[in-house]
Every structure is written in C-alpha cells, then in structure tokens.
Amino acid sequence: MTLLDRRTLALSALGLVATPAMAAMQRQPRPAAPTEAVWKPADTPPGGIAWSLLESTREITRTDAKGFIRSKPVFPPGVRALDGKAVKVAGYMMPLETGTLQKHFVLLAYPPDCPYHLNPNPMQFIEVRSPVGLGFDYRVKVISGTLRLGGQDESGIFYRINDGRPG
C-alpha cells in the first residue's frame, strides 16, 4: 500500500467516525468575515440579564493534591438574588450532544469564533438543559429558564439552567 493510499484510508476512516453534530456544525454557514463582536459579550435581550452582571462573580482557584485546578465562585449580591429566578439571557451555543437539535449545551457569553478564547472563564458560560431540542447555529440565541447558582463543589460550573427554552 502506498503512502497516498494510506493517507486516503486514514482520511476516510476519520470521516466515518465524525459525529452527526460535527457534520451539522460543518454545514452551518460561517460569518463571511470575522465579527466585530468577538471582544464583547452577546447583547442583553429586552427584559434579560447582562453578562456583565454574571461576569462580576469572582473566582477562587486552588490546586488540589493531584495537581488539578479547582474553582469556586464568590457571587456578588446582585447575582445571588437571581438564584432560582426566571431569567432571560442571550449567548452563543456550544453543542454538547450529537445531532442538529441540542437539549444539553453551553451558552457562551462571547462568540466562539476567536481561536485565542476557546476556554471561557466559569462566569462567562451557562450550562443549559432543555426539554425541547434547539437547533444549532452560530447566531446569538436567547434562552429563558430558571437560573441555578453552583460551583460550591469546585466543579467550575457556576451557572445552570435546567429548564431552558428559546426566547
């Protein structure tokens, strides 16, 4: 088998193991040019909460005995007041499941189109679970649901919405 044959076989094998979500992401139209919004969070929807409020949470980190970084939040009063309340927030979807419809995803404050900022801070994303599948695309999504504060277990997940719905 020639080197070219091996490369073709390897690329074919890689194509066969790609998940449906990856394929769906590749079919989505990308913005024609880099967005100007890369350095600012998604706009606050009418009646919604601003990422600037969520980002006001401080993070305390420590390194555990195994060398892993552990993270806990220090929520300011304005954020603590939102715990268990219905909220509306806008952001960018990062899929966590296979398929084009997502019931479990991360809502990011900043667009995922900058290769230097793929790892948001814990106060810059919300883990969302939804009873209905939401279609993945690169546009801003507005999600409504009950905000739950977390992170006291040092998981690094400060915000969760378990009943997320569009708009």
Side-chain angles (χ1 to χ4, degrees):
M1 184 179 284
T2 69
L3 178 60
L4 182 58
D5 291 335
R6 278 188 239 140
R7 283 186 182 167
T8 303
L9 181 61
L11 289 174
S12 296
L14 285 174
L16 292 175
V17 298
T19 65
M22 296 279 289
M25 286 171 41
Q26 291 170 352
R27 284 193 301 268
Q28 293 294 323
R30 297 285 269 168
T35 71
E36 293 299 319
V38 97
W39 303 114
K40 67 178 190 134
D43 291 334
T44 305
I49 59 171
W51 281 104
S52 59
L53 176 59
L54 298 175
E55 288 180 301
S56 68
T57 295
R58 285 187 319 119
E59 177 185 19
I60 298 173
T61 60
R62 70 177 180 88
T63 303
D64 70 12
K66 294 182 180 180
F68 294 106
I69 296 174
R70 301 295 179 184
S71 177
K72 284 178 83 165
V74 177
F75 298 115
V79 174
R80 279 197 312 266
L82 296 173
D83 191 24
K85 302 282 195 267
V87 298
K88 184 188 299 185
V89 66
Y92 301 87
M93 180 187 279
M94 182 176 77
L96 295 177
E97 300 178 312
T98 58
T100 56
L101 295 178
Q102 300 290 308
K103 289 186 175 184
H104 186 208
F105 58 93
V106 173
L107 192 69
L108 299 168
Y110 296 86
D113 56 357
C114 177
Y116 301 104
H117 291 89
L118 294 177
N119 299 309
N121 290 318
M123 63 288 286
Q124 296 173 328
F125 69 88
I126 302 170
E127 179 187 21
V128 178
R129 291 188 185 268
S130 176
V132 297
L134 287 91
F136 169 78
D137 61 43
Y138 290 100
R139 295 182 302 243
V140 171
K141 296 223 179 283
V142 176
I143 302 296
S144 296
T146 306
L147 184 68
R148 295 290 178 192
L149 304 183
Q152 296 306 324
D153 59 357
E154 296 186 308
S155 65
I157 299 175
F158 292 1
Y159 307 117
R160 286 187 171 98
I161 293 177
N162 292 319
D163 58 350
R165 297 194 178 274

